Amino acid sequence: MERNTFYITTPIYYVNDKPHIGHAYTTILADVLARYHRLLDVPTHFLTGTDEHGQKVQRAAEQHRITPRQQCDRTVVRFQQLWERLGITHDDFIRTTEERHQVVVRQILQDLYDRGEIYAAEYEGWYCVPCERFFTQRDLRDGLCPECSRAVERLFEKNYFFRMSAYQDWLLQTIEGNPDFIRPEHRRQETLGFLRQPLNDLCISRPKNRLNWGIELPFDQEYVTYVWFDALVNYISAIGYGADPERFERWWPASCHLIGKDILTTHTVYWPTMLKAIGVALPRTVFAHGWWLVGRDKMSKSLGNVVNPMEMADTYGVDAFRYFLMAEMTLGQDAAFTEEAFVNRYNADLANDLGNLASRVLTMVQRSLGGTLPEAPAPAAAEEELVSAVLAAVGHMQSYLTQMQLDRGIAEVLAAVRAGNRYFDRMKPWKLAKQGDGAALARVLYHSSECLRIVSGLLFPVMPGKMTALRQALGLGEAAARPRFAAMAAWGGLAAGTRVGALGPLFPRIAAASETLAEAPRGKSAAKASAKAGPEAENLVTVGIEDFAKVRLRTGVVVDACRIEESDRLLKLQVEIGADIRQIVAGIAGAYDPDSLLGRTVIVVTNLEPAVLFGVESDGMLLAARKGRKMRLLTVDGEIPSGAAVS
Ligand code: ME8
C-alpha cells in the first residue's frame, strides 16, 4: 500500500460452466480490497474477466452441441450478471477472445520466437486433458495426473516450447530475495520447493488436429496457443501493454494477482518467467487464498454439493453473503461452507450486534431528539472505551488490510460494534429520556451515532448496500456511498443539526432450521392435534430437572415501554436485569398500557435466542399466564432486586 496506485486482478474464469461460490469468493475479495483502496484515496484499477479458449471450453461446447464461440457468449453473461448482482465494481472485464487481447498474445509469441525463446521440438509425454497440462513420468502420482488424480494420455507430437528452464536460477533467487512476491509464506515455500527440482521448458502450443479453439500461433498455422500462455497475458493486455504505454505504465506492475491455491504454479513459475523473457517487471504480489469446502468435502458437480452464489444472494441478500465469505475465511487457509455456519454468523454478528445497535440508536434519535443530532459534545471519560475501540478498529483495519488479514480487520470492527452496544446499555438513554435529562441524552445519542458512522464506513467495502442505507439514515448525504478512511480516523464527524432518518430492520434475524422445527408444534395443526387428544396429551412430554435448568429465569424491572407502531399486540420494553438492560418485545399490548408497566418486576427468560419482531430486536421473553383473551404477567411476591435467579 506504500505505492500510490493499486492494481488488483482476479483469475479469469473458464466459461465451460456457470460460476460457483469459489469464483464468487475470489471476485468479492478483490472487490472488497479494491473498495478499501478507494476509501484510502489510492487510485485503483480492478480487472476481472473470462478465459475463453482451450480444451475445457471446446469440450463444453461439444457437449452442448454449440460452437465454442456460442459457449463463450452464453456463459460469459452468467459471470457478468453475477458480478452485477454481487455489487462487483471492476473497472474492466477482459475476455480472451477479444481482439485487444489476441493481438498482444500474438505479438509476444512472435517476439519470443524471433529471439529463439520459443523453439519447436518433438515431444513425448503424459497429458492430462481436464488440466490441459503435460507431465513427465516423474511428475505423475501413481501413474495419474498429479493435479487432479485422473488418468493421463501418452502423447507424441511436434510442439513449440518456451525456454522456461533457462530462468530457473533467476526465479529461485527472485523469490528467495522477495518475500512479498508470493503470499502467504507457505505458498512461497511450496513454489520454492517446486523450483528446487529441475524445471522443464513449457509446451506452449497445441496442434489444431487435437484442439482448434485457441489463438493461432503467428509462426505456424497448424497450431493454437496453449491456453495458459494465452490466459496469463490478460493481466497486461487489458491495461494496454504494447498498445498504450502510458496506461500500461500507470498500472503495471500489478499490486496483487489474487488467485486460488489451485493455480499457484502457473502464476508463480510460468508467469514470472514469461514476463522476464519479454522484459516486463513482475507483479508485486501473487496472493493464493484457500479453498472453500462444502462441509468437509471438496465442492464438485459429481458430489452435487456445488453452492450457487446467485441462490445465496437471493435467499439471504447480497451483503450478508459477502460478509459471511469475508469474515469466515482466514485468508490463505481453507474454510468450510455450511448454511448453518452462515446463519449462525449472520445472527450473531449482523442481526444481534450491528443490526441491534443501528436500530436502537436510530429509533431513539427519532423518538427522543426528533431526528436531529445535537452539537458534537467532546467525548469524556464515559466515552473513553467506546471511542478507543472504534478508532482502534480504524487503525487495525488499515494494517490488517496490508497484511491481507481481512477476517481479523472485520473482527475488530465487530468488537467496536459491541463496544457501541455496551456503551448504550451502560448509559441507558431511555432512562435519561424519562428523567428529562436532555443534555445527557443528546450526548449519548451523538456518540452512539458517531460510532455507527465510523463502523458503517469500515464495513462499507464488505456490505456496500446495507452500509449505504445505514449511512443515508445517519444523514451522511453524499458521503453515504463514498466513505473515506481519513474521515473515519477522526471522532466527531457528524455535524450538529444532521437529520437522522428511519431505517427498517437492517438484518432481520434468520430462524435456524432447528428453530423452525421447534416452532412447528405451536402452529394451528399442532393445537388441533392436542385438542383432539384431550388434556392428558399435554402430559406426553416430560422434561428432567436438568432440561428445565437450562432455561435461565431472572427477575427484571421494566424501565421503559412503548408500543410498536405497526402492531397492536406488541410492546417494546427496556428491562433492567441486574447490571444489564435488555430490549424485549412482548405480546402484551392488549393487556397492559406501556406506562402502567414502568417499575414493575417481571420474570424474564434470559437465555432465549434473540429474535426480530416487526423489525425490532428482542433479547429475552417475559413470562405471563393466559386463559383465553385474559393475560397477566408473572411477578414476585414482594421486594427483590432485579437480576435475581428464579427457579
Ligand atoms: O483456473 N474455493 O479458471 P477457473 C475458492 N481460467 N476458490 C475457488 C474454488 C473454491 N472451491 N474453486 C474455484 C482457471 N475457485 C483459469 C485461470 S488466470 C490467468 C486463468 C476460484 O474457472 C479460485 O480463484 O477454474 C481459482 O483460482 C479460480 O476460481 C479458478 O477458476
Side-chain angles (χ1 to χ4, degrees):
M1 242 187 298
E2 63 283 2
R3 275 182 86 211
N4 58 358
T5 57
F6 183 69
Y7 172 31
I8 185 155
T9 65
T10 71
I12 47 171
Y13 305 112
Y14 286 126
V15 284
N16 58 331
D17 207 346
K18 62 181 188 223
H20 55 64
I21 189 178
H23 301 126
Y25 173 71
T26 315
T27 314
I28 291 172
L29 177 58
D31 184 63
V32 169
L33 294 170
R35 285 176 184 263
Y36 272 120
H37 282 82
R38 293 187 197 117
L39 260 57
L40 285 162
D41 280 326
V42 176
T44 297
H45 189 71
F46 169 15
L47 173 71
T48 188
T50 39
D51 192 351
E52 304 199 346
H53 292 127
Q55 204 134 23
K56 278 190 182 170
V57 177
Q58 181 165 302
R59 286 256 164 102
E62 281 160 9
Q63 273 165 16
H64 298 134
R65 301 214 166 97
I66 52 178
T67 65
R69 179 86 233 179
Q70 285 170 324
Q71 170 70 28
C72 296
D73 290 348
R74 282 183 197 181
T75 315
V76 71
V77 197
R78 306 190 76 153
F79 281 90
Q80 287 166 334
Q81 282 168 345
L82 180 64
W83 301 157
E84 197 175 334
R85 177 85 176 94
L86 296 179
I88 305 300
T89 54
H90 49 284
D91 297 287
D92 194 1
F93 186 103
I94 188 153
R95 301 178 59 180
T96 52
T97 46
E98 284 175 75
E99 191 54 22
R100 62 167 171 158
H101 172 73
Q102 304 205 33
V103 169
V104 179
V105 174
R106 283 196 290 264
Q107 181 190 318
I108 290 175
L109 286 164
Q110 188 67 55
D111 170 47
L112 293 177
Y113 184 69
D114 293 345
R115 292 194 285 113
E117 294 276 345
I118 286 177
Y119 63 93
E122 276 301 319
Y123 183 81
E124 180 182 354
W126 295 103
Y127 186 68
C128 174
V129 178
C131 296
E132 298 179 47
R133 285 183 55 187
F134 282 102
F135 295 101
T136 61
Q137 182 69 43
R138 202 194 48 178
D139 293 333
L140 301 184
R141 248 185 242 143
D142 301 328
L144 300 172
C145 169
E147 298 279 325
C148 70
S149 306
R150 277 180 271 212
V152 285
E153 295 169 11
R154 190 84 183 144
L155 278 182
F156 302 85
E157 64 190 20
K158 176 189 150 189
N159 262 311
Y160 288 89
F161 293 83
F162 164 53
R163 292 190 196 281
M164 190 161 75
S165 60
Y167 298 100
Q168 177 164 13
D169 292 343
W170 164 81
L171 186 56
L172 252 175
Q173 280 165 21
T174 304
I175 296 173
E176 270 166 354
N178 181 356
D180 277 346
F181 176 54
I182 305 173
R183 290 169 67 190
E185 178 58 23
H186 62 277
R187 297 284 168 223
R188 188 168 88 103
Q189 292 306 330
E190 192 178 320
T191 301
L192 284 172
F194 180 86
L195 284 173
R196 289 193 184 108
Q197 313 290 320
L199 185 65
N200 294 321
D201 286 346
L202 180 67
C203 177
I204 57 100
S205 62
R206 297 292 181 263
K208 277 193 182 165
N209 56 19
R210 195 147 63 75
L211 171 76
N212 60 20
W213 182 237
I215 301 178
E216 190 177 279
L217 291 186
F219 42 83
D220 191 335
Q221 292 172 359
E222 297 303 310
Y223 290 83
V224 293
T225 312
Y226 168 44
V227 69
W228 272 103
F229 203 87
D230 155 2
L232 288 159
V233 171
N234 91 88
Y235 299 133
I236 57 175
S237 65
I239 52 164
Y241 175 75
D244 185 346
E246 209 177 302
R247 182 153 180 262
F248 182 67
E249 290 298 313
R250 176 160 167 74
W251 298 116
W252 195 259
S255 315
C256 180
H257 287 326
L258 206 55
I259 59 166
K261 64 180 184 181
D262 53 324
I263 52 178
L264 184 71
T265 312
T266 49
H267 280 79
T268 59
V269 179
Y270 299 4
W271 184 224
T273 54
M274 287 165 68
L275 287 168
K276 177 73 177 161
I278 59 171
V280 170
L282 301 194
R284 310 248 157 191
T285 297
V286 175
F287 191 99
H289 64 69
W291 218 234
W292 276 101
L293 305 171
V294 178
R296 288 189 182 163
D297 300 320
K298 211 174 158 177
M299 199 167 43
S300 82
K301 253 187 166 178
S302 51
L303 285 176
N305 63 357
V306 177
V307 181
N308 181 336
M310 208 54 130
E311 276 171 19
M312 286 301 295
D314 288 345
T315 312
Y316 297 112
V318 170
D319 286 297
F321 179 54
R322 288 173 62 113
Y323 179 82
F324 176 78
L325 293 183
M326 295 301 109
E328 189 78 5
M329 186 180 266
T330 296
L331 263 173
Q333 291 169 24
D334 289 348
F337 185 91
T338 61
E339 251 178 277
E340 195 188 354
F342 178 92
V343 170
N344 288 343
R345 187 178 270 282
Y346 173 97
N347 281 340
D349 293 3
L350 299 182
N352 292 357
D353 290 342
L354 181 57
N356 190 25
L357 182 66
S359 98
R360 296 164 98 188
V361 175
L362 294 176
T363 309
M364 271 213 95
V365 174
Q366 290 286 306
R367 265 204 8 236
S368 314
L369 301 180
T372 305
L373 282 182
E375 193 88 37
E383 282 77 38
E384 210 177 289
E385 190 216 335
L386 173 72
V387 176
S388 75
V390 174
L391 294 183
V394 180
H396 280 133
M397 183 51 106
Q398 258 179 278
S399 63
Y400 281 134
L401 267 177
T402 333
Q403 298 158 35
M404 294 288 270
Q405 294 184 317
L406 208 51
D407 59 320
R408 287 204 184 186
I410 292 173
E412 292 293 339
V413 184
L414 260 288
V417 170
R418 284 190 288 273
N421 274 319
R422 274 199 305 279
Y423 172 75
F424 204 82
D425 289 343
R426 203 177 60 237
M427 304 305 279
K428 304 185 179 45
W430 54 91
K431 244 186 180 168
L432 301 173
K434 274 259 121 66
Q435 293 159 357
D437 191 345
L441 175 67
R443 147 183 221 97
V444 174
L445 293 183
Y446 180 86
H447 291 301
S448 306
S449 306
E450 188 57 9
C451 165
L452 280 179
R453 175 185 74 88
I454 298 178
V455 298
S456 63
L458 289 176
L459 292 175
F460 171 87
V462 181
M463 297 186 285
K466 295 279 184 185
M467 292 306 101
T468 303
L470 174 55
R471 293 168 65 78
Q472 271 161 354
L474 281 169
L476 286 168
E478 288 245 307
R482 282 195 294 116
R484 291 279 171 273
F485 257 105
M488 289 176 223
W491 193 266
L494 281 167
T498 299
R499 292 289 304 161
V500 171
L503 183 67
L506 259 189
F507 302 106
R509 190 167 174 283
I510 303 170
S514 56
E515 283 172 59
T516 325
L517 288 178
E519 299 249 315
R522 290 193 213 148
K524 273 188 193 159
S525 54
K528 266 191 205 153
S530 75
K532 266 189 205 157
E536 66 274 32
E538 283 185 18
N539 298 330
L540 278 179
V541 182
T542 56
V543 292
I545 186 75
E546 66 288 351
D547 280 330
F548 178 70
K550 287 181 191 159
V551 182
R552 266 174 58 119
L553 298 171
R554 294 286 180 271
T555 57
V557 173
V558 180
V559 291
D560 191 27
C562 63
R563 292 188 183 278
I564 291 179
E565 263 172 36
E566 301 80 13
S567 162
D568 44 32
R569 209 174 58 80
L570 300 177
L571 292 185
K572 183 168 78 171
L573 312 174
Q574 306 295 335
V575 182
E576 184 189 88
I577 304 165
D580 226 30
I581 298 279
R582 296 275 190 106
Q583 176 168 290
I584 297 175
V585 175
I588 53 174
Y592 292 92
D593 270 341
D595 283 348
S596 71
L597 291 168
L598 296 179
R600 276 198 202 218
T601 297
V602 288
I603 309 296
V604 185
V605 181
T606 59
N607 61 339
L608 196 68
E609 270 201 54
V612 174
L613 298 156
F614 280 81
V616 183
E617 333 266 332
S618 179
D619 191 6
M621 186 175 87
L622 303 193
L623 294 190
R626 66 179 88 213
K627 178 123 189 166
R629 288 181 163 200
K630 199 158 168 62
M631 170 207 286
R632 300 315 293 166
L633 281 169
L634 262 64
T635 184
V636 286
D637 174 25
E639 285 263 318
I640 191 147
S642 77
V646 177
S647 53

